Amino acid sequence: MKLSRRAVLAAPVALAACDRFASAEPAPIIVPPLKSIAPCPFGTAVKAMQLDDAEWVALARANVAQLTPEWEMKMEYILAKGLDRPNFDRSDHIAAFAQANGMGLHGHTLIWYAQGEQAFAGLDNAAFDRAFDGYIAALAGRYRGKARSWDVVNEPILDDGSGLRDCHWSRRYGHDGYILRAFEKARIADPEAVLFLNEYNQESVPAKGEQFLRLVERLLKAGCPLQGLGLQSHLWIDIPDGAIARYYGQIAQFGLPIHVSELDCSLRTEKRLDARSQANRIAAQTARVTELADAFMALPARQRYAFTVWGLRDTDSWYRQGDKDDGRDKPLPFDSFGRPNPMAAALANAFRPS
Ligand code: 9MR
């Protein structure tokens, strides 16, 4: 029964409680390897440099069955030297590591409003078309048979959900037009890969979720080879209770595979005065992650495509890089030493069959 399972995993090691020498250190959290209990491939984002970090490699081999390149399969890296000098060295390295370790590879991302503006600047229409189609053909074609799926288009919707973003792609092909074109070209480049539309805040910002559902409807009606829906799931602790579960009830209607594609849950809030303790924030995080994982588990098995976290250790997170790092956020399932966080226990509890 669910409650008792949760209690077991979250409970301190019983012996420690009886030991008069027990320290005040919280008892270790013990979880099975996440890939062994997830209902589908359990994945993580990866940066090529992590492949040289023995601790990261050991944690990944134990827990994950699939990799998503965090940034080195994007235009910002591949086209850094220009359209005519694409650089696939790091994405090749990640793909080879995945293959050597029996892990799946999820391609991220072919077309994104945030990338490629500089590389495509100044092209006339015919050259733009050649470059757009050629990029997708080159990248998706290169990993044909290696990537099991692709985020073909990333984040097309405005943050407030009021419509689709204007960008260099939409200015040439129209708002739905660039998405349709990208999917068609990806389909040709790799006829077997599962093609995803990927977006954040669908389950947390109702207007954005609504806009995503309408976009999916239009694309399917237009004959787009869209085959999967990516919910990035960059969660935060104050998402209202029930919002995530409600959205899963709506998005499941299409019958398409769903990928939790970039899960993390920041403990930070934007409230200027927020005196909540770290323990209180972690309890809220557990509630949000549990709601998400339970909603995913409630999908029909054929719709549970993969479940990916956006990094393994807190210190691997984009929230903990550079200026953004407050030194305290714990958005991921493992701490900086690779020990399970409460988030790992929340996932394990949701994944394990009752
Ligand atoms: O985590 C990624 C970070 O390392 C990169 O610098 C950044 C820009 O490429 O992208 C981050 O990942 C984003 C993902 O590609 C799309 N959804 C939001 C993610 C977090 O910003």
Side-chain angles (χ1 to χ4, degrees):
M1 132 126 202
K2 267 199 162 168
L3 270 180
S4 58
R5 271 198 292 118
R6 287 202 169 122
V8 169
L9 275 176
V13 173
L15 280 178
C18 314
D19 181 350
R20 65 197 169 100
F21 299 113
S23 75
E25 276 287 297
I29 295 168
I30 298 166
V31 294
L34 293 171
K35 71 174 185 189
S36 70
I37 48 172
C40 55
F42 188 83
T44 182
V46 61
K47 298 181 262 275
M49 62 188 276
Q50 289 166 324
L51 306 180
D52 299 326
D53 169 354
E55 288 175 16
W56 185 92
V57 169
L59 194 61
R61 283 195 180 126
N63 286 282
V64 314
Q66 180 164 300
L67 298 176
T68 303
E70 187 165 345
W71 69 280
E72 288 140 319
M73 211 182 240
K74 294 172 180 168
M75 282 183 185
E76 73 179 281
Y77 183 77
I78 292 175
L79 296 184
K81 294 182 188 145
L83 268 175
D84 48 353
R85 294 176 62 199
N87 186 3
F88 300 104
D89 59 350
R90 296 205 190 162
S91 46
D92 282 354
H93 187 37
I94 293 172
F97 177 89
Q99 201 161 28
N101 286 277
M103 296 173 182
L105 179 69
H106 175 72
H108 175 79
T109 174
L110 291 171
I111 295 294
W112 186 12
Y113 80 90
Q115 306 228 325
E117 186 157 16
Q118 214 184 335
F120 280 68
L123 301 180
D124 64 27
N125 285 349
F128 194 102
D129 295 352
R130 269 197 309 279
F132 185 94
D133 300 350
Y135 182 78
I136 295 175
L139 184 51
R142 188 175 187 90
Y143 297 105
R144 184 173 172 181
K146 293 185 176 145
R148 63 188 287 251
S149 45
W150 273 100
D151 289 329
V152 177
V153 173
N154 197 37
E155 304 174 1
I157 299 175
L158 287 166
D159 279 346
D160 65 2
S162 61
L164 300 193
R165 295 178 192 273
D166 290 322
C167 61
H168 45 301
W169 314 124
S170 70
R171 284 193 287 277
R172 171 77 189 109
Y173 304 120
H175 284 124
D176 288 8
Y178 84 87
I179 304 176
L180 285 163
R181 187 173 181 115
F183 273 88
E184 278 156 20
K185 300 302 169 189
R187 176 74 308 148
I188 296 166
D190 186 343
E192 285 92 38
V194 186
L195 304 182
F196 280 81
L197 181 66
N198 196 42
E199 185 57 274
Y200 63 90
N201 287 2
Q202 298 172 56
E203 65 285 76
S204 48
V205 176
K208 195 162 177 186
E210 186 53 39
Q211 192 68 242
F212 186 85
L213 300 174
R214 276 194 261 142
L215 173 60
V216 170
E217 264 165 28
R218 285 200 305 279
L219 293 173
L220 292 175
K221 207 165 155 203
C224 178
L226 164 64
Q227 295 170 307
L229 307 176
L231 280 73
Q232 292 184 10
S233 311
H234 293 289
L235 306 182
W236 62 91
I237 57 179
D238 291 322
I239 296 173
D241 205 23
I244 298 173
R246 248 192 322 279
Y247 187 68
Y248 269 75
Q250 296 176 289
I251 198 162
Q253 66 179 300
F254 297 109
L256 292 175
I258 289 183
H259 182 193
V260 170
S261 56
E262 306 183 11
L263 173 66
D264 50 26
C265 185
S266 177
L267 302 179
R268 296 181 212 184
T269 62
E270 281 169 11
K271 293 179 194 151
R272 292 185 56 207
L273 289 174
D274 188 342
R276 280 179 289 182
S277 66
Q278 187 83 340
N280 187 305
R281 289 165 194 257
I282 286 179
Q285 180 193 59
T286 296
R288 296 289 63 83
V289 168
T290 298
E291 185 177 330
L292 177 89
D294 280 350
F296 186 79
M297 290 302 287
L299 292 169
R302 70 193 151 74
Q303 284 184 265
R304 297 189 297 228
Y305 182 75
F307 196 103
T308 299
V309 288
W310 210 235
L312 290 173
R313 303 168 302 196
D314 294 326
T315 37
D316 296 322
S317 171
W318 63 296
Y319 285 116
R320 298 290 304 272
Q321 311 295 309
D323 293 348
K324 289 198 291 285
D325 187 9
D326 69 353
R328 284 170 60 76
D329 206 354
K330 296 181 70 62
L332 291 172
F334 298 94
D335 72 11
S336 54
F337 297 100
R339 299 174 301 204
N341 278 334
M343 188 199 279
L347 293 175
N349 280 329
F351 289 160
R352 275 149 55 116
S354 326

